[in-house]
Amino acid sequence: MTGTRKKGGGDRAGRGGSAAPDRYRHRLERQGSATLHGFVEEDPQHKGTPLKPNATVDCGWGRLIFAHTFSDNAELARTLLQEQEDRRDIAIYLRDPHVVLAMAPQDLFLDPSHTYRLWFFNYRPARVQPRGFRVRRLRNRADAEAMHRLLSSRRMVPPSPEFVLERLKSRTLSFFVAEDEESGRIIGTVTGVDHLHAFGDPEKGSSMWCLAVDPQAAQPGIGRALVAWIADHYAARGRAFMDLSVMHDNEAVIRLYEKMGFERVPVFSLKRKNAINEPLYVGPENYDALNPYARIIVDEARRRGIGVELVDAEEGYFALTLGGRSITCRESLSELTSAVAMSRCDDKRITRKLLVQAGLEVPAQQVAGDAAADRAFLAEHGAVVVKPARGEQGRGVAVDVRTPEELAAAIDAAARVSDCVLLESYLPGDDLRVIVIDYRVVAAALRKPAEITGDGKHDIGTLIRKQSRRRAAATGGESKIPLDEETRRCVERQGRAMDEVLLPGETLRVRATANLHTGGTLHDVTEQLSARLREVCERAARALKIPVVGLDLLVPDPAGEDYVFIEANERPGLANHEPQPTAERFIDFLFPQTAQVSDATPGD
């Protein structure tokens, strides 16, 4: 199929000319809304270079296949079936999706996504003012590696850093990142495709792909700023529109796009059935009721052909079956963890005793109850941690308690969770969570307490509620910042009030504990973890005789050797540590016959 470039009115429309939009729309209507339906017909007004036939663009994660440049549906189907392993090709702008699908119904499927379009003829540059971060072009290896980690953590297929670096000067592909102004950490990314450079598009279109935001980032509006930046980029290039694809049920994101001026257009996409796309086309089973910690394990099991039976989806129970072997799990707690090992972790006093016997470092501890003894312990250590002896998800835990009044209130709060309350010496350092599976370290992450970023408009209480909603959306409802006495104590200790308005870009820590369930964030440090810390964590798991465990330590530096163990979790959340292969290693442990040799190599 061939076509030609536009002159005159089309160019003015791309630059936002006043009269051009109506003529541009009128021409589309005269063509039977061809472009709106995702394909371009020959326009006698177009003069110039023809369309590139059978056009594809390698995006690193797979090929973007421009179906409307194929004159033969059979050739389009063959192109889709040539998808390489571990890639995700997408054919978009199909004239006859039903025909192409019928040519290989066992191998292809219609993608359940909507296409949204931002027309630039009435677009005004966005007035988005990032707070605490900046958007810029991706420019070096560090950026490319950060982009790779971020996309992997969002369970997206990332382009390799080498692929990105080779295309930094590409006119077809453009890569942008959002960078935290304080730490320099990459907290968002987006990729753009220029259709004019890709295949000589006579309609001068563009598209946006691979939008991802770090769910741990505290700053609001990162995704919106990235979309606005890339829209400004293509509008400035004189493109006529920008398209994007979004899952049909992603209501929150769709509302954002519509608010920014995107309109839904009847454009369809085809993909090849593969392990990556499996959740989009598999049979009638519905695993939506599972939380992220169970779902990540179930998805990995199904990918390997292991049978899955939901026992109690709401509570995270499921059974995995392969051959004659069946194992029931509750998230990452399986029948291969004994009841005795589970009880060792459940009672923090027993955990500490066993770790001491193994020669491992732990903080000073005593049972609360006698008011005079409690105050003496506080006076001896200056600051303490108060926590229930039995409990999870950070409930009833108070950190850095310094006054007798705070101590009494914290003990009362912990007693509502467990009859036995523990006092521990407070030690400075970063909160480190290490995942051990089959007595080997698989992942490590620093856990940081919840923070908010001021915007100069909303008070601290409102910012906490807004940040809590973002954390909940990013974690499937697992992470929220409670507006309780512990949050108020943390805010007031810093000399602030809940009704106070923070300056734009000003950050404030609103929880002392770094627990994910109370709004904390995790930051992967697996590659930085020292050999010493790996060794003591594996010793701790063996001392507790628990093959799958999440160990909590306080460390001055994850690359160093100093540490103290705080507690052990018999049911760690594996989904929190992507892109580390926690679910893969868990299934390797349960069903070693399904492990790939490369995945099971020690020390990888």
Side-chain angles (χ1 to χ4, degrees):
M1 176 178 172
T2 61
T4 53
R5 300 180 187 272
K6 280 189 285 192
K7 291 184 179 180
D11 286 340
R12 291 193 297 274
R15 292 192 294 268
S18 60
D22 290 338
R23 292 199 297 271
Y24 188 82
R25 284 280 196 180
H26 180 66
R27 183 161 66 248
L28 293 180
E29 292 167 359
R30 195 169 61 248
Q31 292 176 205
S33 296
T35 299
L36 287 172
H37 283 275
F39 60 91
V40 181
E41 292 186 355
E42 187 91 22
D43 187 335
Q45 297 185 39
H46 293 165
K47 306 292 183 183
T49 306
L51 282 169
K52 177 183 175 182
N54 299 351
T56 66
V57 172
D58 185 356
C59 297
W61 39 261
R63 295 172 300 169
L64 188 56
I65 301 169
F66 294 96
H68 59 321
T69 67
F70 284 72
S71 58
D72 183 358
N73 285 327
E75 179 60 27
L76 175 57
R78 283 193 294 271
T79 300
L80 267 170
L81 295 177
Q82 292 168 358
E83 178 185 73
Q84 297 180 12
E85 187 176 358
D86 296 327
R87 306 273 279 186
R88 186 195 62 171
D89 292 349
I90 302 174
I92 194 168
Y93 305 128
L94 288 96
R95 177 187 286 108
D96 304 311
H98 55 298
V99 175
V100 181
L101 183 60
M103 290 179 172
Q106 301 303 317
D107 298 301
L108 303 179
F109 71 99
L110 193 64
D111 182 44
S113 295
H114 293 325
T115 300
Y116 275 78
R117 176 168 294 178
L118 182 65
W119 292 97
F120 291 145
F121 60 72
N122 61 355
Y123 174 71
R124 295 294 178 267
R127 302 301 180 189
V128 178
Q129 297 295 327
R131 301 291 187 185
F133 67 96
R134 64 176 65 88
V135 179
R136 60 170 174 80
R137 274 189 177 275
L138 186 149
R139 57 193 180 208
N140 54 35
R141 174 169 289 276
D143 288 348
E145 290 175 348
M147 173 184 175
H148 187 278
R149 288 192 298 270
L150 179 54
L151 293 176
S152 296
S153 71
R154 306 308 292 157
R155 310 207 79 183
M156 300 166 72
V157 181
S160 70
E162 290 73 20
F163 176 92
V164 174
L165 291 174
E166 290 170 359
R167 289 160 177 79
L168 288 184
K169 296 182 179 180
S170 169
R171 297 289 289 170
T172 299
L173 296 174
S174 296
F175 306 99
F176 301 97
V177 295
E179 178 186 45
D180 184 290
E181 288 183 344
E182 182 176 345
S183 67
R185 185 167 57 93
I186 300 303
I187 55 177
T189 183
V190 69
T191 300
V193 178
D194 190 320
H195 297 181
L196 186 63
H197 290 283
F199 61 93
D201 182 11
E203 298 300 330
K204 297 186 178 180
S206 62
S207 54
M208 185 190 85
W209 303 89
C210 296
L211 175 66
V213 174
D214 187 347
Q216 317 298 347
Q219 299 93 330
I222 299 170
R224 183 186 179 100
L226 285 164
V227 176
W229 183 279
I230 200 168
D232 291 347
H233 170 73
Y234 284 123
R237 277 194 179 185
R239 300 300 167 258
F241 60 84
M242 183 176 75
D243 288 348
L244 57 83
S245 182
V246 58
M247 285 298 297
H248 68 95
D249 57 355
N250 197 343
E251 296 179 359
V253 174
I254 287 174
R255 284 196 298 270
L256 169 63
Y257 291 146
E258 290 179 342
K259 186 175 181 180
M260 295 183 72
F262 284 84
E263 304 172 12
R264 185 179 166 190
V265 292
V267 172
F268 304 99
S269 302
L270 278 183
K271 296 179 181 177
R272 183 176 181 179
K273 294 178 180 178
N274 58 32
I276 299 169
N277 294 324
E278 186 179 27
L280 301 179
Y281 64 81
V282 289
E285 299 94 340
N286 186 351
Y287 299 108
D288 290 344
L290 291 172
N291 66 31
Y293 308 118
R295 184 63 182 265
I296 188 176
I297 297 169
V298 165
D299 287 346
E300 177 62 20
R302 294 173 65 216
R303 187 183 70 81
R304 300 192 191 189
I306 297 170
V308 177
E309 177 188 355
L310 297 187
V311 179
D312 188 328
E314 186 175 351
E315 295 298 326
Y317 286 94
F318 53 89
L320 304 179
T321 304
L322 183 66
R325 182 180 179 87
S326 182
I327 302 174
T328 299
C329 305
R330 185 185 183 194
E331 299 167 7
S332 63
L333 178 64
S334 77
E335 293 176 311
L336 302 190
T337 293
S338 72
V340 173
M342 177 178 170
S343 66
R344 292 188 187 108
C345 293
D346 182 53
D347 191 325
K348 297 174 177 61
R349 295 170 299 175
I350 304 301
T351 301
R352 183 179 183 278
K353 288 179 181 179
L354 292 171
L355 295 181
V356 168
Q357 291 172 11
L360 300 170
E361 298 293 332
V362 296
Q365 184 187 92
Q366 78 175 29
V367 176
D370 181 271
D374 295 344
R375 289 193 296 270
F377 188 83
L378 175 62
E380 178 184 357
H381 297 286
V384 301
V385 176
V386 180
K387 60 186 180 183
R390 305 182 72 174
E392 59 181 5
Q393 299 184 352
R395 288 192 292 267
V397 177
V399 174
D400 195 13
V401 175
R402 301 182 186 181
T403 68
E405 293 77 17
E406 287 181 339
L407 180 64
I411 292 173
D412 287 343
R416 290 194 288 269
V417 178
S418 173
D419 292 337
C420 180
V421 176
L422 302 177
L423 307 182
E424 287 183 349
S425 56
Y426 172 73
L427 300 170
D430 290 323
D431 191 321
L432 178 70
R433 164 60 65 91
V434 178
I435 302 296
V436 177
I437 299 176
D438 200 11
Y439 301 108
R440 295 173 52 205
V441 169
V442 175
L446 288 179
R447 303 197 301 177
K448 298 184 178 181
E451 291 184 341
I452 57 174
T453 302
D455 59 6
K457 301 177 182 177
H458 299 95
D459 62 34
I460 290 173
T462 301
L463 291 174
I464 290 174
R465 287 189 287 271
K466 290 167 72 70
Q467 174 70 351
S468 185
R469 287 195 294 269
R470 287 195 296 273
R471 295 292 297 131
T475 60
E478 296 297 315
S479 181
K480 299 177 182 178
I481 307 174
L483 273 172
D484 57 10
E485 288 304 317
E486 177 62 15
T487 298
R488 291 185 178 88
R489 183 180 75 87
C490 185
V491 170
E492 291 169 359
R493 168 167 292 181
Q494 299 171 81
R496 315 307 288 261
M498 297 295 284
D499 59 357
E500 185 176 344
V501 175
L502 296 180
L503 296 174
E506 182 181 3
T507 61
L508 179 71
R509 180 168 290 186
V510 296
R511 296 288 292 190
T513 57
N515 192 281
L516 177 74
H517 293 276
T518 55
T521 59
L522 281 84
H523 307 269
D524 183 71
V525 293
T526 306
E527 299 303 320
Q528 291 78 48
L529 194 67
S530 70
R532 170 63 172 163
L533 293 185
R534 286 178 180 270
E535 186 265 333
V536 297
C537 287
E538 290 170 0
R539 278 174 55 196
R542 292 189 182 280
L544 298 170
K545 295 183 180 179
I546 185 165
V548 179
V549 63
L551 297 166
D552 293 338
L553 304 85
L554 281 176
V555 299
D557 181 0
E561 298 191 354
D562 296 331
Y563 71 93
V564 290
F565 279 101
I566 303 301
E567 60 186 56
N569 188 320
E570 73 279 0
R571 184 163 51 99
L574 303 186
N576 299 330
H577 295 270
E578 293 185 291
Q580 299 302 329
T582 52
E584 291 90 326
R585 295 297 181 267
F586 184 71
I587 298 298
D588 289 348
F589 169 62
L590 300 185
F591 299 93
Q593 69 272 34
T594 69
Q596 297 180 6
V597 174
S598 59
D599 285 347
T601 302
D604 70 346

